[in-house]
Amino acid sequence: MSDIDQKDLRAAVGSGLLTEVQAVGLLALAQSRQGMRENLDPGDEPFELFRGFNEIFIVIGLSILATGWWMVAGLNFRSAAGGAMGMTLLGAAVFWVLSEYFIRRRMVAPAIALTILWTLNAAFGLFATMAEPFMIAQRQYDSLPPVIMLTISAVAIYWARFRVPFAMALMALGVFGVAVLLTAIRAGNPQTFAEFFMLSSDGPFAWVTLLVGLLVFATAMWFDTSDPHRVTRRSAQGFWLHLVAAPALVNTIALSLLDKGSTDARLLLLGCLLLFALIAIIIDRRSFLIAAIGYSVVLSATVANGDGVALIILLLGVFLVALGAFWTAIRARVMAPLSGILPVNRLPPYH
């Protein structure tokens, strides 16, 4: 079957077979499948961080430009009332114009870089204008939630225009930050980092982490099920959301079980990780499993000081290697008996 080019689309529009909107949408879909995606093996998970060294070159240039800009902004807002927000708005205009050029050319790495710069620029201006550094130094964070919520709003506006998938991860992290800060304001500050993940801790932070993780996972699944064949950017939105949701979900359960220190708890941990692996296989998201288990390994070796986790880490490594080698075959065997239970038409094909 021959490829359809732009002349064919023009002919289809001229004959009334397609409308102009449909033709443009079809062309955009075809272009989105070019590059790395068209060379993927069946069943592989699409992922693009950059498409060539020129994108890395542009990212380095953007980073240097942003560094110089913020140095100039820092010098100016000290000498003028309201200067911080003025410089921030001017920076936002610059980053928006650059985004119009680079993102519309479908550059992946510059799109991610510009999203980060847009977010940092908004956070810088809002923090300088609304935050109370003296109170923050006293561990009073009442002024920070409005700053983060407005920053999330700025990122949402940016996403609405440019649809950069990475923006979803930043917004999800922002929601997590607001939830933690509001909890700290009401229940007191966490004493250790482990409180964010251990359900056995006195504070409610682990429960907040678990709840936000479930919310982000549900949003990721909404994007995934709307694009089961993973040919549009909705799939990429889900990819970045899964990277945020997985650590929040898995590590809250994993570290809570590791904290118990008993053999039964560690066996239960392996069972829970197998359950999450099953979920990853069903939704066909290696990224979900890697983010979850990889982060669990790091935290197990730090928060749990490596006590009694060496064997678990070894088994996880063997499990991941085997799963990666036979992912497609394993998924086909898992999905076949579930086809009458799950809405497989909303999930990636498994044959």
Side-chain angles (χ1 to χ4, degrees):
M1 181 178 179
S2 60
D3 294 334
I4 298 177
D5 58 20
Q6 294 191 27
K7 292 181 180 179
D8 296 316
L9 292 178
R10 293 193 191 100
V13 172
S15 66
L17 184 62
L18 296 175
T19 65
E20 290 188 8
V21 173
Q22 291 172 331
V24 170
L26 182 59
L27 181 61
L29 176 61
Q31 290 174 346
S32 71
R33 290 171 56 84
Q34 291 177 355
M36 292 177 64
R37 291 180 181 229
E38 66 182 1
N39 296 319
L40 287 175
D41 293 329
D44 206 350
E45 185 174 354
F47 174 71
E48 289 178 299
L49 198 56
F50 61 92
R51 292 181 176 175
F53 191 77
N54 186 49
E55 292 196 3
I56 303 300
F57 185 81
I58 293 170
V59 168
I60 294 172
L62 289 172
S63 302
I64 296 173
L65 183 152
T67 301
W69 172 258
W70 283 319
M71 291 174 67
V72 172
L75 293 173
N76 280 274
F77 91 81
R78 292 175 189 160
S79 59
M85 185 53 68
M87 295 299 290
T88 298
L89 291 175
L90 185 56
V94 172
F95 292 135
W96 190 278
V97 171
L98 290 172
S99 299
E100 290 286 354
Y101 179 76
F102 288 113
I103 296 178
R104 293 305 171 186
R105 294 182 65 187
R106 300 186 180 277
M107 292 187 171
V108 180
I112 294 175
L114 284 165
T115 303
I116 294 173
L117 295 176
W118 171 272
T119 305
L120 292 176
N121 183 69
F124 165 79
L126 291 167
F127 183 86
T129 305
M130 300 175 60
E132 300 174 2
F134 178 77
M135 298 299 293
I136 294 172
Q138 301 298 318
R139 303 188 74 180
Q140 299 292 324
Y141 304 123
D142 301 68
S143 63
L144 285 181
V147 171
I148 299 178
M149 286 189 285
L150 287 174
T151 302
I152 295 172
S153 300
V155 178
I157 293 172
Y158 188 86
W159 177 84
R161 171 59 178 165
F162 299 108
R163 289 295 195 274
V164 179
F166 183 73
M168 279 291 165
L170 296 180
M171 286 190 283
L173 290 173
V175 171
F176 178 78
V178 171
V180 169
L181 284 171
L182 291 176
T183 304
I185 291 170
R186 297 190 62 179
N189 299 317
Q191 300 302 311
T192 63
F193 181 72
E195 285 190 38
F196 289 108
F197 296 101
M198 290 187 180
L199 297 172
S200 58
S201 300
D202 294 333
F205 294 98
W207 293 103
V208 171
T209 299
L210 190 61
L211 180 61
V212 174
L214 288 171
L215 176 64
V216 175
F217 178 76
T219 307
M221 288 306 302
W222 182 84
F223 280 109
D224 275 355
T225 54
S226 68
D227 181 24
H229 292 276
R230 294 180 179 167
V231 294
T232 71
R233 279 184 291 185
R234 290 194 298 275
S235 173
Q237 321 275 6
F239 169 86
W240 289 107
L241 288 172
H242 280 303
L243 289 184
V244 177
L249 290 174
V250 179
N251 296 314
T252 302
I253 297 173
L255 289 182
S256 297
L257 292 172
L258 278 175
D259 187 49
K260 295 182 181 298
S262 65
T263 302
D264 290 342
R266 287 171 186 150
L267 291 175
L268 186 58
L269 169 60
L270 286 176
C272 288
L273 290 178
L274 287 174
L275 176 61
F276 276 98
L278 178 63
I279 294 173
I281 291 170
I282 290 173
I283 66 176
D284 199 19
R285 280 295 186 188
R286 296 166 182 82
S287 54
F288 177 82
L289 189 58
I290 288 296
I293 292 183
Y295 201 57
S296 294
V297 169
V298 173
L299 287 183
S300 298
T302 54
V303 177
N305 297 318
D307 296 334
V309 299
L311 181 59
I312 291 178
I313 292 176
L314 177 63
L315 292 175
L316 287 176
V318 173
F319 173 69
L320 284 181
V321 171
L323 191 59
F326 304 104
W327 180 277
T328 303
I330 292 173
R331 186 165 186 269
R333 289 182 178 274
V334 168
M335 293 297 291
L338 297 176
S339 59
I341 303 172
L342 299 175
V344 292
N345 61 312
R346 305 291 298 276
L347 296 169
Y350 61 91
H351 295 294

